[in-house]
Amino acid sequence: MSESATHLEDGPIVVGIKPGLPSRIIETAERTAGSMGCEVIFAYVELNSALVELDPTEPRLNESLDPEIDDEMAGVSAALSDMLTAALAGTRVQWSFRVLAGDPASALSRLAADVGSRMLVVGTRRHGPIHRVEAFFAGSVAKSLAMGQSRPVLLVPLNRDAD
């Protein structure tokens, strides 16, 4: 059986999160994991950090997937962890939270590969002129993941009506 054929059979779900994230993504990931009977790994990618190794053929180093956390990153990480704890209170789904380094799409892809993830869950871009400018300069994580993955990517629409 090929590696891509096993993605839906085992492994956790990896979910990309960031500050200001609508609860819709957390709820979607929790329901999906509950229906599949698997764990969820929520991952925040610190944009002001970089992957230690730049060559994709080099082995992955712990510093890339578990970066050193400075005071600012620790505050953001704690706030996200508290948000997840509150949002997932009472759930039976096992979950964990990770902080990653580097480009969001690359870091999430690497984590998914390292943990044998069955799928990735990310939000789409929000609507509006500010978000269009941001997407122009930074690109779309959702698009990068959807175009460059062998595993399924669940895109959760973020629109004006979502919380």
Side-chain angles (χ1 to χ4, degrees):
M1 185 179 303
S2 73
E3 179 188 351
S4 61
T6 64
H7 290 317
L8 290 175
E9 297 171 9
D10 56 11
I13 293 173
V14 171
V15 183
I17 64 169
K18 63 182 183 177
L21 174 82
S23 61
R24 184 178 194 185
I25 293 175
I26 298 168
E27 293 164 2
T28 299
E30 189 268 336
R31 283 193 314 268
T32 303
S35 69
M36 294 180 156
C38 67
E39 176 189 357
V40 180
I41 300 173
F42 292 95
Y44 166 64
V45 182
E46 173 55 46
L47 296 175
N48 295 326
S49 61
L51 290 172
V52 174
E53 67 278 359
L54 298 176
D55 184 350
T57 63
E58 291 180 18
R60 294 177 183 101
L61 303 173
N62 286 340
E63 292 84 4
S64 288
L65 292 176
D66 295 310
E68 288 186 28
I69 297 179
D70 61 21
D71 291 340
E72 181 181 347
M73 196 187 309
V76 172
S77 176
L80 286 169
S81 181
D82 291 347
M83 176 198 60
L84 289 168
T85 299
L88 296 166
T91 186
R92 292 184 176 187
V93 171
Q94 290 185 345
W95 63 275
S96 60
F97 173 63
R98 301 273 303 267
V99 177
L100 308 175
D103 169 68
S106 297
L108 291 170
S109 291
R110 295 181 79 159
L111 175 61
D114 282 359
V115 300
S117 175
R118 66 177 68 205
M119 77 167 46
L120 290 123
V121 177
V122 293
T124 60
R125 289 183 286 167
R126 290 186 183 266
H127 298 283
I130 292 173
H131 298 290
R132 281 194 294 271
V133 171
E134 180 182 281
F136 175 77
F137 287 107
S140 166
V141 173
K143 181 178 178 181
S144 294
L145 286 171
M147 301 294 286
Q149 278 295 308
S150 63
R151 5 185 94 63
V153 178
L154 175 60
L155 303 178
V156 180
L158 304 180
N159 55 39
R160 290 184 197 109
D161 299 330
D163 59 347

